[in-house]
Each structure stands twice: as structure tokens, then as C-alpha cells.
């Protein structure tokens, strides 16, 4: 699919305050700094639409972007940012899981995984919980430009191997670089399948 127009709609502190669930949406989640906001900008082709930062913890609310007046892209805060106080972490966790478990128009969650590093427990646990909650997911490996191809592939294989413990069918995955626009065509194709089938 082609995205003609995308614009920021709203930041919400909890799922009850999100825009009406009258259009379908996909959400981007993953560890702090993994590249969620950058990927959203890469997909829409609008450089600073979702705010990015080299400092983890930039995105703190549920951010809705509306695409072609037909569907929403949702940028979520990252998990696993060590420097956040425990009370903040608990707040984040409640906000995110309330959203993930209750948002009725949520079609897919895209879980972003940094392909520069071997599988991390925090990511595997998060993906496992999504599976146990029957939330449909796709895996998106990020920062492909920052890792040697063989090493990146090794990390991806190890992650997929780790998923076999909990998943009968491993979720589909994509390799991306927001820097080089790697995976853009493939992801837009996927979004086309998700939304054009639904609309
Ligand atoms: N080289 C490279 N850098 C990237 C890529 N994607 C993101 N970055 C950089 O990684 C940092 C974090 O990117 P963000 O998009 O803000 O990450 P985020 O997951 O939204 O982070 P939080 O909102 O803090 O959870 C920024 O400095 C980006 O420029 C990529 O594909 N390649
Ligand atoms: Mg962000």
C-alpha cells in the first residue's frame, strides 16, 4: 500500500482516553530506544512526525497517528528502561497492558527487537505474554544497518529458536533499518494486507 497522508492525532495517558475505536489500528512496542518512533517515521515518510531521541524513554504516552483517514498507527512507550523509578515502571506497565488487552480495534502488535544483540529475557517474556493473551503479533528486527549481516542473522535465528518454546507457529518477522529504509516496502505490503482486508 501507499501512504498518502499521515498526521499526529492525539497523545493519551490511558486507553480510555484514546481516540474512538472506530478505525482499525496497529501498535508498535519494544524496548526503550529500539527504534519504534523512527520506524513509524520511516513508514509514513514524515521525518519528525513521531518524536525520536538518542536518550531512552522519549515516548511516554500512547500516541495515535491517523493514516489516510482510514486507520491508526500507534506509538507506545518502550519497556525495560533501567533509569526509570519503580513507580513509573508500574504506571507504564498498567497503561500499556490495559491498552493491549482492551483496545478492541487493535489488529496487530508489532514487537520491535534490536537485531544487534542476542535474545534478551525481557523481550522474550514480553512476546510470551502477548501470545498468552492471544494478541496477534509480528516481529520486527531493527537497526539492520548497525550490525554485520551474519551476526544479525545469528541473533535473529537465536530469537526465533527461543520462541519455539512457547509458540507452535513462529510469528512472521521483518528485518528493518529506519536509517536505510530497509524493509519499508515489505512492511507497507503487510499493512496493506491488514487494513485493505479489513476496510
Ligand atoms: N542506525 C540506526 N539508528 C536507529 C535506527 N532506528 C532508530 N535509531 C536510533 O535509535 C535511537 C532511538 O530511536 P527511537 O525511534 O526514538 O526509539 P524508540 O523505540 O521510539 O524509543 P523510546 O520512545 O524511548 O521508547 C535514535 O537515536 C534513533 O536515531 C536504525 O534503523 N538505524
Ligand atoms: Mg519512541
Amino acid at each position: 500500500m501507499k501512504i498518502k497522508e499521515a498526521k499526529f492525532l492525539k497523545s493519551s495517558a490511558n486507553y480510555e482516553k484514546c481516540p474512538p475505536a472506530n478505525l482499525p489500528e496497529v501498535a508498535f512496542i519494544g524496548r526503550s530506544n529500539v527504534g519504534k518512533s523512527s520506524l513509524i517515521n520511516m513508514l509514513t515518510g514524515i521525518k519528525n512526525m513521531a518524536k525520536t531521541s538518542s536518550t531512552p524513554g522519549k515516548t511516554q504516552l500512547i500516541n495515535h497517528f491517523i493514516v489516510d483517514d482510514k486507520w491508526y498507527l500507534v506509538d507506545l512507550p518502550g519497556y525495560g528502561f533501567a533509569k526509570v523509578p519503580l513507580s513509573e515502571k508500574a504506571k507504564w506497565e498498567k497503561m500499556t497492558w490495559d491498552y493491549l488487552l482492551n483496545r478492541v480495534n487493535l489488529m496487530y502488535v508489532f514487537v520491535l527487537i534490536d537485531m544487534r544483540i542476542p535474545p534478551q529475557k525481557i523481550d522474550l517474556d514480553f512476546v510470551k505474554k502477548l501470545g498468552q493473551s492471544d494478541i496477534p503479533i509480528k516481529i520486527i528486527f531493527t537497526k539492520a544497518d548497525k550490525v554485520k549481516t551474519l551476526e544479525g542473522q545469528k541473533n535473529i535465528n537465536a530469537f526465533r529458536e527461543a520462541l519455539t518454546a512457547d509458540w507452535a507457529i513462529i510469528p512472521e518477522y521483518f528485518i528493518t533499518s529506519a536509517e536505510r529504509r530497509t524493509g519499508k516496502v515489505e512492511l507497507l505490503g503487510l499493512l496493506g494486507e491488514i487494513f485493505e482486508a479489513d476496510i
Side-chain angles (χ1 to χ4, degrees):
M1 75 152 44
K2 280 210 172 90
I3 291 179
K4 288 190 218 84
E5 187 198 36
K7 52 188 186 238
F8 170 73
L9 190 65
K10 190 179 179 192
S11 293
S12 317
N14 58 52
Y15 93 95
E16 286 104 332
K17 294 198 180 119
C18 287
N22 56 351
L23 295 174
E25 68 193 36
V26 294
F28 291 72
I29 192 123
R31 256 180 326 115
S32 252
N33 218 236
V34 69
K36 299 173 290 297
S37 302
S38 303
L39 192 74
I40 287 176
N41 292 337
M42 186 260 260
L43 287 174
T44 59
I46 304 171
K47 213 168 170 209
N48 295 313
M49 190 178 69
K51 301 274 180 300
T52 66
S53 167
S54 55
T55 315
K58 176 70 185 172
T59 310
Q60 301 203 346
L61 297 164
I62 303 168
N63 294 296
H64 275 79
F65 300 90
I66 185 160
V67 182
D68 293 332
D69 294 323
K70 286 199 184 121
W71 49 277
Y72 299 125
L73 276 175
V74 183
D75 190 13
L76 295 168
Y79 53 80
F81 175 36
K83 285 185 188 147
V84 171
L86 269 184
S87 59
E88 279 295 305
K89 268 188 196 159
K91 214 171 85 187
W92 175 87
E93 219 168 273
K94 181 169 166 31
M95 176 177 87
T96 303
W97 281 103
D98 276 353
Y99 165 82
L100 292 171
L101 294 171
N102 294 303
R103 187 76 174 157
V104 291
N105 59 333
L106 181 59
M107 311 281 292
Y108 272 96
V109 174
F110 293 174
V111 187
L112 275 63
I113 305 290
D114 188 338
M115 66 181 274
R116 298 174 302 174
I117 49 174
Q120 305 287 301
K121 185 172 183 308
I122 192 166
D123 290 324
L124 292 168
D125 286 350
F126 197 87
V127 169
K128 182 174 180 173
K129 192 166 170 190
L130 287 166
Q132 286 167 340
S133 311
D134 282 331
I135 297 171
I137 67 166
K138 304 283 181 187
I139 307 269
I140 301 185
F141 293 100
T142 64
K143 306 196 181 182
D145 60 292
K146 280 235 180 144
V147 64
K148 292 201 183 88
T149 310
L150 271 181
E151 196 184 335
Q153 199 55 56
K154 204 173 109 196
N155 292 335
I156 289 175
N157 291 345
F159 195 88
R160 287 168 48 76
E161 179 63 33
L163 288 185
T164 56
D166 302 307
W167 295 73
I169 300 166
I170 302 294
E172 188 181 13
Y173 74 94
F174 296 82
I175 296 173
T176 65
S177 160
E179 196 75 27
R180 298 204 184 139
R181 299 198 191 94
T182 311
K184 179 170 177 173
V185 172
E186 291 79 2
L187 276 180
L188 286 175
L190 170 69
L191 290 168
E193 280 170 34
I194 294 173
F195 293 118
E196 276 153 17
D198 187 69
I199 291 164

